[in-house]
Amino acid sequence: ALQAEIERLVTSEQTSAEKIKQLTDKSAADQKQIKSAETKYKDSKKQIKKLNNEITELQTTKKADAEKAALETSALIQERLLLQQQVTQITALLDDANHKHSEANNELAKVVARIEVLKVERESECTSLRQQLQQATEMAQLLQQQQVAKSSKFDESQHEVQQLKDQLSTK
């Protein structure tokens, strides 16, 4: 029964280790997704700033280029709106990725705590088994000492019986 319990604890510890690896891998993937989204976010912000600068530049051009500038400005405004939508989507992705990362960290903390509990339980069981083994060893030594004492008494009794037989046979 103790061997089965030890095997169950070892299997539980291996399962926990596999879950930790899965959570760690998932956390790393989430981190990569967050980094990618942050890069896109920064690039979009730079693009918006660049477009805003271009809009400003186009708005200050000569009157002769006003019609052309108006068309380009309209296109740039549409592009800016599209980029702002992308920024909003990326922000939502970042929030979701941060939430998932937080959940993974919480799950990882639970698994680590469970492993610590199992470790303490296993150490306690090992200590108990050691104590039981020590008690069994002491009991075996005591029984062996008793056996030696009984054997010695038996030998003495046999010797006395032999002496008595010898005395009877000489009489």
Side-chain angles (χ1 to χ4, degrees), residues 16 25 28 33 42 51 54 68 72 77 82 108 121 124-125 137 139 162 164 168:
S16 296
D25 292 345
Q33 185 181 5
K42 288 176 184 176
L51 290 172
E54 289 179 310
K68 181 181 174 186
E72 289 178 2
I77 288 171
L82 180 63
L108 183 60
E121 288 175 358
S124 174
E125 289 173 4
T137 302
M139 182 64 80
Q162 186 60 43
L164 288 173
L168 283 175

Side-chain angles (χ1 to χ4, degrees), residues 113-127:
R114 178 64 183 143
I115 286 173
E116 287 301 317
V117 167
L118 289 173
K119 182 180 174 185
V120 168
E121 288 175 358
R122 194 169 90 190
E123 287 173 357
S124 174
E125 289 173 4
C126 287
T127 300

Side-chain angles (χ1 to χ4, degrees), residues 8-135:
R8 183 192 67 75
L9 289 172
V10 168
T11 301
S12 174
E13 187 172 346
Q14 289 171 346
T15 302
S16 296
E18 290 171 6
K19 185 154 188 169
I20 287 172
K21 181 173 181 351
Q22 290 172 356
L23 290 172
T24 303
D25 292 345
K26 185 177 184 306
S27 177
D30 288 346
Q31 284 294 343
K32 286 182 182 177
Q33 185 181 5
I34 289 169
K35 288 286 186 193
S36 175
E38 286 175 345
T39 301
K40 287 180 182 177
Y41 178 82
K42 288 176 184 176
D43 290 344
S44 296
K45 281 288 199 182
K46 287 179 185 176
Q47 187 70 20
I48 288 171
K49 186 174 181 178
K50 180 182 173 189
L51 290 172
N52 283 337
N53 289 340
E54 289 179 310
I55 289 170
T56 302
E57 186 178 316
L58 287 172
Q59 290 172 341
T60 58
T61 58
K62 297 178 184 177
K63 287 185 178 182
D65 296 332
E67 192 173 306
K68 181 181 174 186
L71 291 174
E72 289 178 2
T73 300
S74 177
L76 290 172
I77 288 171
Q78 291 291 13
E79 189 176 345
R80 181 178 69 183
L81 289 174
L82 180 63
L83 287 170
Q84 286 175 333
Q85 288 174 348
Q86 289 175 351
V87 166
T88 301
Q89 291 170 348
I90 289 169
T91 301
L93 286 173
L94 279 171
D95 290 344
D96 186 50
N98 283 331
H99 178 72
K100 287 179 181 177
H101 181 68
S102 177
E103 285 178 347
N105 282 341
N106 290 341
E107 190 65 29
L108 183 60
K110 289 177 187 176
V111 169
V112 168
R114 178 64 183 143
I115 286 173
E116 287 301 317
V117 167
L118 289 173
K119 182 180 174 185
V120 168
E121 288 175 358
R122 194 169 90 190
E123 287 173 357
S124 174
E125 289 173 4
C126 287
T127 300
S128 175
L129 288 172
R130 283 187 198 106
Q131 289 173 347
Q132 290 175 11
L133 179 60
Q134 179 66 29
Q135 289 172 351

Side-chain angles (χ1 to χ4, degrees), residues 140-153:
Q141 288 172 347
L142 181 62
L143 289 172
Q144 187 178 18
Q145 289 170 356
Q146 288 176 351
Q147 181 64 32
V148 167
K150 285 180 181 179
S151 177
S152 176
K153 281 185 179 181

Side-chain angles (χ1 to χ4, degrees), residues 150-166:
K150 285 180 181 179
S151 177
S152 176
K153 281 185 179 181
F154 180 75
D155 289 345
E156 286 176 20
S157 295
Q158 285 292 87
H159 182 67
E160 287 177 14
V161 167
Q162 186 60 43
Q163 284 179 346
L164 288 173
K165 280 182 181 179
D166 290 345

